[in-house]
Amino acid sequence: MKVLLFGGAGYIGTHVALAFLDRGDTVGVFDDFSSGLRENVQKECILYEHSILDEKAVNEALNDGWDVVVHLAAFKAAGESMVDPSKYALNNITGSLNLIRGCQAHSVNAFILSSSAAVYGEPQYLPIDEKHPTSPLNYYGYTKRAIEENLEWFHQLHGSNYVSLRYFNAAGYDAEGKMRGLEKNPANLIPVVMEVATGKRSAIQVFGNDYDTSDGTGVRDYVHVTDLADAHVKAADYLLKEKQSLIVNLGSESGLSVREIIDETRKVTQKEIKEEIVGRRAGDPAKLVASSKMAKDILGWEAKHSSLNQIIKTTWDAYQKS
Ligand SMILES: NC(=O)c1ccc[n+]([C@@H]2O[C@H](COP(=O)([O-])OP(=O)(O)OC[C@H]3O[C@@H](n4cnc5c(N)ncnc54)[C@H](O)[C@@H]3O)[C@@H](O)[C@H]2O)c1
């Protein structure tokens, strides 16, 4: 199979590349390196160094003949998307439309989108399944939903198929140590805790310890990036075999609290890790956990590497190496 990864030099994309390369597929990486890392792109990949906003370059790459396109190229900082929506409109929506239109022009009928749990917004019930209403709380989440809607329209009007993978919180690193550089500008809890462990930050701020959860701190669904990568391989096989479209959640289904993550990091790193309990952040729900039943039933996928220890240990190994 020939797979072209737009945004394939990023944190998740480089792990997706490993999963396809591992089974002998041909992998192309199209990336402008705005946040991607050259040192994490495997040498077997065919590299296209351009922006998805450059329609000519997108079409030239698609000309090389691909069975499946995976679209990971996006800006992903939810907070920034609320102060600079134009930046997100251009890169995430216009950029995606270039790819969707390019695929149509080149008869690539298998498109995998990196979507996000951010499409759901405030949880109305838990665990969140795919039937949960979509009502994004930030512009970033809206861009993902807008891309899904365009994929659905192109599916209806041109018969092109897509799988939208709604990731919960991606975490961890390749356990074999194949990644040489760390995710650029991470804003998630685990990298921040790691930075306290390495001494780059003095303390971790805990936003609220009075939530209605087992230990009072917020609970989120973390899924190991190697599990996410495996889901892309399964989605690609599904698209080529079943020729149907699908939207599925990818989460581990087991929520981890901020407290559990800090405590496990202390255990794995043997570092002190100072914390400061500060007030809750506006709009932060107590708990967000996925149902991944659809991914299991339809794609045969399950999270195999997403235990608390595997997530923290592989992340710490990566932080120590770089
Ligand atoms: N990390 C998460 O927890 C998470 C959760 C849900 C969804 N996602 C989505 O998954 C995808 C990958 O996320 P990531 O964590 O690997 O982020 P990342 O920033 O590491 O990767 C994004 C990649 O896309 C590239 N890129 C961005 N704009 C581009 C453009 N205009 N042209 C070409 N390349 C461009 C970047 O250089 C980078 O290599 C994103 O679409 C993100 O929205 C991530």
Side-chain angles (χ1 to χ4, degrees):
M1 182 188 298
K2 284 184 72 182
V3 190
L4 180 55
L5 310 179
F6 289 95
Y11 166 56
I12 298 172
T14 47
H15 287 86
V16 173
L18 280 183
F20 281 107
L21 288 170
D22 270 358
R23 63 168 202 175
D25 291 325
T26 300
V27 177
V29 168
F30 186 111
D31 204 293
D32 67 356
F33 291 95
S34 48
S35 62
L37 290 179
R38 244 167 257 282
E39 61 268 39
N40 287 352
V41 177
Q42 304 299 313
K43 62 177 186 335
E44 298 91 332
C45 295
I46 303 162
L47 186 61
Y48 303 88
E49 190 172 341
H50 301 282
S51 169
I52 57 169
L53 297 174
D54 179 346
E55 274 192 274
K56 190 166 167 276
V58 166
N59 283 293
E60 277 173 11
L62 287 169
N63 241 341
D64 290 344
W66 302 93
D67 303 306
V68 178
V69 153
V70 182
H71 175 27
L72 306 113
F75 294 147
K76 60 171 184 178
E80 184 190 46
S81 77
M82 297 297 274
V83 285
D84 194 357
S86 297
K87 178 176 170 182
Y88 282 70
L90 181 64
N91 206 44
N92 292 13
I93 301 181
T94 307
S96 296
L97 287 171
N98 286 346
L99 303 190
I100 295 170
R101 288 167 47 238
C103 284
Q104 195 220 320
H106 290 84
S107 305
V108 181
N109 288 323
F111 192 105
I112 300 174
L113 173 69
S114 295
S115 187
S116 166
V119 299
Y120 292 117
E122 184 76 30
Q124 294 180 12
Y125 58 84
L126 291 173
I128 296 181
D129 60 18
E130 295 79 358
K131 290 198 199 82
H132 188 286
T134 52
S135 182
L137 291 172
N138 49 62
Y139 189 78
Y140 162 73
Y142 163 72
T143 66
K144 293 292 176 181
R145 186 63 197 128
I147 306 161
E148 287 183 345
E149 285 175 346
N150 274 285
L151 286 169
E152 183 55 30
W153 274 109
F154 275 72
H155 167 68
Q156 282 180 32
L157 301 175
H158 291 293
S160 44
N161 291 312
Y162 68 92
V163 173
S164 178
L165 300 173
R166 291 179 174 166
Y167 314 153
F168 279 64
N169 297 284
Y173 277 83
D174 173 57
E176 289 169 23
K178 288 191 182 141
M179 294 299 150
R180 290 192 276 162
L182 297 171
E183 182 186 7
K184 263 194 203 165
N185 314 317
N188 301 335
L189 172 68
I190 295 173
V192 174
V193 181
M194 290 293 151
E195 288 182 1
V196 180
T198 58
K200 194 169 168 194
R201 288 178 194 247
S202 55
I204 175 83
Q205 291 191 315
V206 177
F207 296 105
N209 65 350
D210 55 355
Y211 283 108
D212 185 15
T213 57
S214 59
D215 60 30
T217 64
V219 169
R220 296 291 178 269
D221 188 318
Y222 295 88
V223 56
H224 197 285
V225 69
T226 300
D227 285 327
L228 287 182
D230 174 47
H232 293 72
V233 173
K234 292 190 157 61
D237 289 345
Y238 173 86
L239 281 164
L240 296 187
K241 189 158 165 256
E242 304 296 335
K243 300 191 169 47
Q244 289 187 48
S245 292
L246 184 67
I247 295 182
V248 286
N249 286 342
L250 295 179
S252 65
E253 301 188 312
S254 52
L256 298 176
S257 72
V258 174
R259 164 80 33 247
E260 285 175 301
I261 286 173
I262 296 173
D263 286 348
E264 185 70 15
T265 309
R266 286 185 179 125
K267 214 161 87 190
V268 168
T269 65
Q270 298 289 305
K271 304 279 179 192
E272 185 191 356
I273 311 201
K274 287 205 179 104
E275 59 180 71
E276 286 164 26
I277 311 289
V278 291
R280 294 182 183 192
R281 276 187 309 201
D284 262 0
K287 197 168 175 183
L288 267 181
V289 186
S291 161
S292 285
K293 188 174 180 311
M294 253 180 98
K296 274 183 209 150
D297 291 351
I298 301 177
L299 297 180
W301 174 83
E302 59 182 316
K304 292 183 180 149
H305 305 272
S306 297
S307 71
L308 174 59
N309 180 263
Q310 280 167 300
I311 285 175
I312 300 300
K313 180 160 186 330
T314 57
T315 310
W316 181 237
D317 288 348
Y319 269 74
Q320 279 185 303
K321 251 179 50 183
S322 15

